[in-house]
């Protein structure tokens, strides 16, 4: 029994030794095949933010998947560092303490450069893959970190997407704010610069910007945010752009904004990708505070199998690590980029046989694969792809997608680049889908508010203007109200009707000068000013003006005086030169036609030698004007021509007599002063409106201040002219039209017109109304409504028709076109008939003349053609012929030449 037990024990020991030996041999064979390499990745994240938590979970999943799918010769290990310390110091800790081969985290350019400066020489080439969008916010550094790889998309594309949305809805002013990040570089201030540059392209600008401290640094975050929102609520601009913030900060912000009524009508809120991408993880109750918010998030293909598998793993792992988190743990684009960055680093490490920072950096930059966030490849150290964004609109307990946007194609409803390109080339534009705005409205907010139904705009109108045709103020005692009308007021009312929104306002009389009214608009005591306000450079320094609704200039008005008549050739001025020439041609033509017709009819009074015939024809053309011709008319055709022409002569003679009498009896008027220089040289007194800018303008024209008289009433101008107190009056061009319309007799314009800016409406600096009002002014101008209003203003005058001076120096052929045309047609018909009779009567003589002259003409023509042929067409053949002829006897040459011709 003992021997059996001993034998069994010995066999057991033997088998154990054999197994141990086999195990050693097996391990020895693996070690001979490959050397085990452990690659270490250092990851920096912020555990207090949703983005940081998602990135940590995504990187852990990536490491687990990589180790399970790849050879046992290499192993990927990830070491996390999380703290509120600067990212550069954390990177230095990971390199020195954990000996990591690559670093992933939210490092900016400055932080990466700082790490390269104080790090050891052995670690300076370690690849740093930045997962933070803030990496591209920084300004250009003197030296770029050589080992920095940017995994995030360029921030310029985000700013351009902001600008595209703002430009699409034509918002001219926005208010931008952001939450300061925890990065040591504090490069957040570059956000405003990037956004401002992008907004300039769409003709928009930042009215006001604000930087909020990190939410974690605020002891009472809601109170602080509420205080800042109270300040923003007083601004006229209502378009708020949230450039950068954490999810927690954004939720608190919209909660307070909703409580303060800033999520209602006329407000616009736009969020960026760093909050919009996280909305899938937000509780539906929190989204009720964000109704009507629009924004954009990175486009991700959620339909492929890889994303589905990752989504399941992410949800399970996130819930296990952060069970206290509310909402749904859906992975955002930040988690997907962290996952792809980890895989890109692992694949690059797998290709190397040993640790080498420079080779690892090159291997990462050569990455080319389809990740969860999209195509992963790099160019110049940056992710080489143009990000596509989904435009979202928060509605109910979720959000809906209304469009896509890319830097190349703008807004589109398609994702694939080829289809989008084809759609644009076909000329099919794409508009954003229906959007529900804050307050539950579907109409696009105008983006600003000035006044309201309960507080309308306070618009000043000049109450002391000299020309009340532009602004008329009357008080109705029965109704106890002030009635304001006039040309300028009517134009403003027409302009307001063209606005795409309702603009409540009230007109308030302003008792002061025009300059004081502009100052009132500048200091916000008036919201705007309407009237005959001239656009001047010094006024533009205080306020802004709309597009001028009527052109203007400085015009000089003077009295008229009789013009001294020049008796020489005054008779000729009754008709214009064209009419005199036409009458002479018609008279000669009529005489020639009558003479030819009578000559064919064998009238002895129209016979004789050729010089006698010409003389009689010319004399008949002159004598027929006064009915004193001695020749008798026998042909009825001649009588028809003569009768028609005599009717024309009677009509022309009557008009000539009447016009000549008018010229010799009606006085001709001219301006009493022809130029400004004469007034300056003679120290003549001139007048202008009381307390007007014209006074300063005249002083600049070298008028002496004591020679400028201020006139405060429209009716005082004629009195000042009659009394000789002024020699000229200077008006703005629209005022001069009104003055001459009321006083058209005895006054006229003289001298040059000095161009001015025109009449415009006044608004405070930076007012969003300026652009809309200017556009509406152009619409009203092009429709012709302003011209109609101006005609209605001027038609109220009692002036008579223009004087003879304004009618021109004489009559033209237009007034006699009818009789002259009838006479000319009849004359032409008779001329054709006379020529036909002449040819028929003398046909034998004409045919004999043609026959006698035909042979010489034909001979001459044939000679000319022959010479042209021999010299031009076939010069060489002729030359050869001449050579042959020259070689023959002279007699034979003559015979041949004779035969040719």
């Amino acid at each position: 029994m003992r021997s059996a037990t001993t034998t069994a024990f010995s066999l057991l020991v033997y088998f154990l030794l054999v197994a141990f030996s086999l195990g050693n041999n097996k391990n020895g064979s693996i070690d001979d095949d490959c050397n085990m390499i452990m690659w270490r990745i250092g990851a920096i994240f912020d555990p207090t933010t949703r983005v940081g938590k998602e990135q940590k979970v995504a990187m852990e999943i990536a490491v687990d998947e990589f180790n399970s799918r790849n050879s046992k010769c290499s192993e990927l290990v990830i070491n996390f560092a999380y703290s509120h310390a600067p990212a550069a110091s954390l990177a230095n800790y990971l390199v020195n303490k954990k000996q990591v081969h690559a670093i992933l985290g939210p490092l900016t350019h400055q932080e990466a450069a700082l790490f390269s400066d104080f790090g050891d020489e052995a670690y300076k080439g370690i690849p740093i893959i930045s997962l933070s969008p803030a990496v591209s916010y920084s300004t250009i550094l003197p030296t770029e970190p050589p080992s920095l790889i940017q995994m995030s998309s360029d921030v310029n594309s985000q700013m351009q997407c902001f600008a595209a949305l703002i430009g699409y809805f034509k918002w001219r002013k926005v208010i931008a704010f952001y939450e300061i990040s925890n990065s040591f570089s504090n490069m957040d201030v570059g956000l405003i610069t990037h956004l401002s540059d992008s907004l300039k392209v769409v003709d928009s600008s930042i009215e006001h910007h604000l930087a909020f401290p990190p939410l974690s640094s605020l002891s009472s975050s809601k109170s602080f945010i509420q205080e800042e929102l109270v300040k923003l609520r007083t601004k006229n601009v209502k378009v708020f752009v949230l450039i950068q913030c954490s999810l927690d900060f954004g939720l608190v912000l919209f909660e307070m904004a909703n409580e303060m009524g800033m999520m209602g009508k006329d407000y616009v809120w736009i969020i960026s990708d760093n909050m919009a991408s996280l909305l899938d993880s937000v509780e539906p109750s929190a989204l009720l505070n964000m109704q009507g918010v629009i924004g954009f998030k990175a486009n991700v293909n959620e339909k492929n199998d890889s994303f589905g598998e990752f989504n399941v793993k992410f949800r399970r792992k996130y819930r296990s690590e952060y069970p206290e988190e509310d909402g749904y743990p859906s992975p955002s684009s930040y988690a997907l980029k962290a996952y792809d960055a980890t895989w890109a680093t692992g694949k690059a490490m797998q290709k190397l046989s040993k640790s080498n920072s420079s080779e690892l950096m090159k291997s990462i930059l050569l990455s080319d694969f389809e990740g969860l966030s999209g195509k992963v490849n790099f160019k110049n150290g940056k992710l080489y792809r143009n990000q596509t964004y989904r435009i979202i609109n928060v509605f109910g307990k979720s959000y809906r997608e209304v469009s896509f946007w890319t830097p190349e194609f703008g807004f589109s409803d398609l994702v694939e680049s080829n289809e989008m390109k084809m759609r644009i080339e076909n000329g099919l534009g794409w508009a954003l889908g229906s959007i529900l705005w804050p307050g539950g409205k579907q109409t696009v907010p105008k983006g600003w508010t000035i006044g309201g139904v309960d507080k309308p705009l306070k618009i000043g109108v000049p109450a002391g203007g000299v020309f009340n045709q532009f602004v008329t103020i009357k008080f109705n005692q029965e109704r106890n109200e002030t009635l304001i009308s006039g040309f300028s007021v009517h134009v403003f009312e027409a302009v307001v009707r063209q606005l795409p929104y309702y603009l409540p306002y009230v007109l308030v009389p302003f008792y002061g000068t025009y300059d004081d009214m502009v100052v009132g608009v500048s200091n916000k005591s008036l919201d705007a000013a309407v009237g005959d306000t001239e656009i001047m450079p010094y006024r533009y320094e205080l306020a802004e003006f709309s597009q001028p609704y009527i052109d203007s200039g400085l015009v000089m008005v003077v009295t008229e005086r009789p013009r001294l008549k020049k008796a020489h050739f005054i008779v000729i001025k009754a008709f214009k030169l064209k009419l005199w020439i036409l009458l002479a041609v018609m008279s000669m033509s009529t005489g020639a036609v009558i003479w030819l017709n009578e000559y064919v009819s064998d009238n002895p009074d129209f016979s004789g030698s050729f010089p006698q015939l010409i003389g009689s024809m010319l004399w008949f053309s002159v004598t027929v004007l006064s009915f004193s011709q001695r020749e008798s008319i026998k042909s009825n055709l001649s009588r028809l021509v003569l009768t028609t022409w005599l009717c024309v002569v009677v009509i022309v003679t009557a008009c000539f007599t009447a016009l000549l009498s008018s010229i010799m009896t009606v006085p001709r008027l001219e301006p009493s002063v022809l130029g400004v220089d004469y007034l300056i040289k003679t120290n003549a007194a001139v007048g202008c409106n009381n307390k007007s800018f014209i006074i300063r303008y005249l002083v600049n024209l070298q008028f002496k201040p004591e020679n400028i008289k201020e006139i405060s009433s429209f009716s005082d101008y004629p009195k000042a002219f009659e009394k000789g107190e002024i020699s000229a009056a200077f008006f703005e061009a629209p005022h001069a039209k009104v003055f001459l319309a009321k006083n058209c007799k005895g006054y006229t314009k003289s001298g040059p017109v000095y161009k001015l800016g025109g009449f415009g409406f006044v608004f405070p600096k930076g007012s969003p109304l300026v652009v809309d009002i200017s556009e509406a002014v152009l619409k009203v101008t092009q429709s012709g409504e302003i011209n109609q209003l101006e005609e209605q203003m001027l038609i109220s005058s009692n002036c008579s028709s223009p004087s003879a001076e304004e009618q021109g120096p004489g009559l033209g052929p237009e007034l006699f076109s009818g009789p002259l045309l009838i006479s000319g047609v009849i004359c032409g018909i008779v001329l054709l008939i006379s020529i036909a009779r002449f040819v028929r009567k003398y046909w034998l003589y004409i045919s004999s003349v043609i026959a006698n002259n035909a042979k010489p003409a034909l001979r001459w023509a044939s000679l000319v053609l022959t010479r042209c042929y021999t010299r031009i067409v076939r010069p060489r053949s002729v030359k050869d012929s001449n050579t042959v002829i020259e070689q023959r006897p002279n007699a034979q040459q003559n015979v041949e030449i004779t035969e040719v011709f």
Side-chain angles (χ1 to χ4, degrees), residues 863-879 882:
L863 179 62
V864 171
L865 292 175
T866 304
R867 289 183 178 180
C868 292
Y869 177 77
T870 54
R871 294 182 181 181
I872 300 175
V873 179
R874 298 187 62 188
R876 185 173 183 83
S877 61
V878 175
K879 182 178 180 181
N882 292 336

Side-chain angles (χ1 to χ4, degrees), residues 77-356:
V77 178
I78 188 165
N79 296 276
F80 291 101
Y82 43 90
S83 174
H84 292 293
S89 63
L90 295 177
N92 189 55
Y93 162 78
L94 291 172
V95 171
N96 291 324
K97 301 298 182 181
K98 301 295 182 178
Q99 286 80 42
V100 298
H101 303 99
I103 298 174
L104 280 67
L107 277 79
T108 63
H109 279 75
Q110 284 191 348
E111 290 172 327
L114 184 62
F115 166 74
S116 300
D117 290 340
F118 67 69
D120 296 337
E121 290 294 332
Y123 303 128
K124 282 193 174 181
I126 292 179
I128 301 173
I129 302 178
S130 175
L131 302 176
S132 173
V135 66
S136 57
Y137 293 165
S138 60
T139 56
I140 299 176
L141 300 174
T143 57
E144 293 290 329
S147 59
L148 181 65
I149 301 175
Q150 181 178 328
M151 187 66 186
S152 60
S153 58
D154 189 3
V155 73
N156 284 331
S157 63
Q158 297 189 28
M159 299 301 110
Q160 291 170 8
C161 190
F162 273 125
L165 286 169
I166 294 168
Y168 180 86
F169 295 109
K170 299 181 180 180
W171 295 316
R172 304 301 181 186
K173 301 285 185 179
V174 301
I175 294 178
F177 50 90
Y178 58 91
E179 180 188 13
I180 299 174
S181 64
N182 290 320
S183 63
F184 172 75
S185 59
N186 193 21
M187 297 307 300
D188 302 319
V189 291
L191 291 169
I192 300 299
T193 303
H194 282 286
L195 180 60
S196 178
D197 293 340
S198 299
L199 290 178
K200 289 179 182 178
V201 179
V202 296
D203 196 21
S204 184
S205 61
I206 299 176
E207 174 75 10
H208 180 74
H209 64 88
L210 180 64
F212 286 89
L215 189 67
S216 58
S217 65
L218 298 175
S219 58
S220 179
S221 58
K222 291 187 177 181
S223 299
F224 181 84
I225 293 176
Q226 184 178 16
E227 292 176 1
E228 296 299 328
L229 289 179
V230 169
K231 300 176 184 177
L232 296 179
R233 189 171 57 179
T234 60
K235 304 289 184 180
N236 292 331
V237 179
K238 302 302 179 183
V239 180
F240 299 109
V241 179
L242 187 54
I243 305 176
Q244 171 185 285
C245 72
S246 62
L247 179 61
D248 295 334
F249 176 87
L251 295 178
V252 174
L253 174 71
F254 284 109
E255 179 185 355
M256 302 310 300
N258 192 32
E259 292 180 1
M260 298 173 59
M262 297 179 67
M263 298 298 298
K265 181 183 175 182
D266 296 330
Y267 282 89
V268 178
W269 292 86
I270 309 176
I271 59 176
S272 63
D273 175 62
N274 51 23
M275 184 177 181
S277 293
L278 301 173
L279 292 181
D280 291 323
S281 304
V282 176
E283 286 282 352
S285 59
L287 291 179
L288 295 178
N289 296 324
M290 300 176 60
Q291 297 299 294
V293 172
I294 61 174
F296 56 89
K297 58 179 292 187
N299 180 49
V300 177
N301 187 6
E302 300 176 353
K303 297 180 180 180
N304 56 28
D305 298 335
S306 299
F307 180 83
E309 295 175 2
F310 173 79
N311 191 22
V312 173
K313 294 178 182 179
F314 181 87
R315 289 173 181 267
R316 186 186 304 116
K317 191 173 184 62
Y318 193 91
R319 285 195 182 100
S320 63
E321 292 192 13
Y322 304 102
E324 73 282 357
E325 285 283 333
D326 297 329
Y328 303 97
S330 298
S332 67
S333 60
Y334 295 98
L336 302 182
K337 289 180 180 179
Y339 177 88
D340 291 341
T342 306
W343 262 100
T345 307
K347 287 185 175 184
M349 290 176 173
Q350 188 182 18
K351 297 177 182 179
L352 303 179
S353 59
K354 62 178 180 178
S355 175
N356 188 312

Side-chain angles (χ1 to χ4, degrees), residues 63-72 313:
V63 170
D64 293 341
E65 290 182 354
F66 183 85
N67 289 332
S68 63
R69 297 178 187 178
N70 292 279
S71 173
K72 296 298 182 180
K313 294 178 182 179

Side-chain angles (χ1 to χ4, degrees), residues 708-727:
I708 302 174
K709 182 177 181 181
E710 300 182 29
I711 298 177
S712 57
S713 175
F714 178 86
S715 59
D716 290 341
Y717 279 100
K719 296 178 182 178
F721 275 114
E722 293 174 1
K723 295 179 181 179
E725 297 177 355
I726 58 174
S727 300

Side-chain angles (χ1 to χ4, degrees), residues 498-619:
Q498 293 292 331
L499 296 177
Y501 47 82
Y502 174 67
L503 183 67
Y505 66 91
V506 58
L507 299 177
V508 179
F510 183 84
Y511 297 92
T513 64
Y514 285 82
D515 291 341
D516 294 339
M517 187 171 63
V518 174
V519 173
V521 175
S522 176
N523 59 26
K524 304 297 179 65
S525 60
L526 292 174
D527 295 320
V530 171
D532 49 341
T533 310
E534 191 72 53
I535 302 176
M536 300 296 293
Y538 72 92
R539 291 175 178 173
Y540 222 106
E541 296 176 358
L542 301 174
E544 290 190 28
F545 287 81
S546 68
Q547 177 80 14
Y549 60 87
I550 190 171
D551 294 332
S552 180
L554 191 61
V555 177
M556 182 175 68
V557 176
V558 298
T559 56
E560 292 179 325
R561 66 182 179 185
R563 178 186 298 176
L564 297 178
K565 298 177 182 177
K566 297 180 180 180
H568 307 292
F569 304 106
I570 192 172
V571 177
I572 300 178
K573 293 184 179 181
F575 290 159
K576 292 182 179 179
L577 180 61
K578 291 182 180 180
L579 183 57
W580 283 116
I581 295 175
L582 183 60
L583 291 174
V585 172
M586 287 294 296
S587 179
M588 297 294 295
S589 301
T590 302
V593 171
I594 293 176
W595 172 86
L596 178 61
N597 189 64
E598 292 297 320
Y599 181 80
V600 174
S601 301
D602 297 330
N603 190 339
D605 294 337
F606 293 89
S607 61
S609 61
F610 182 76
Q612 291 176 347
L613 292 176
I614 298 300
S616 62
M617 180 183 65
L618 295 176
W619 178 248

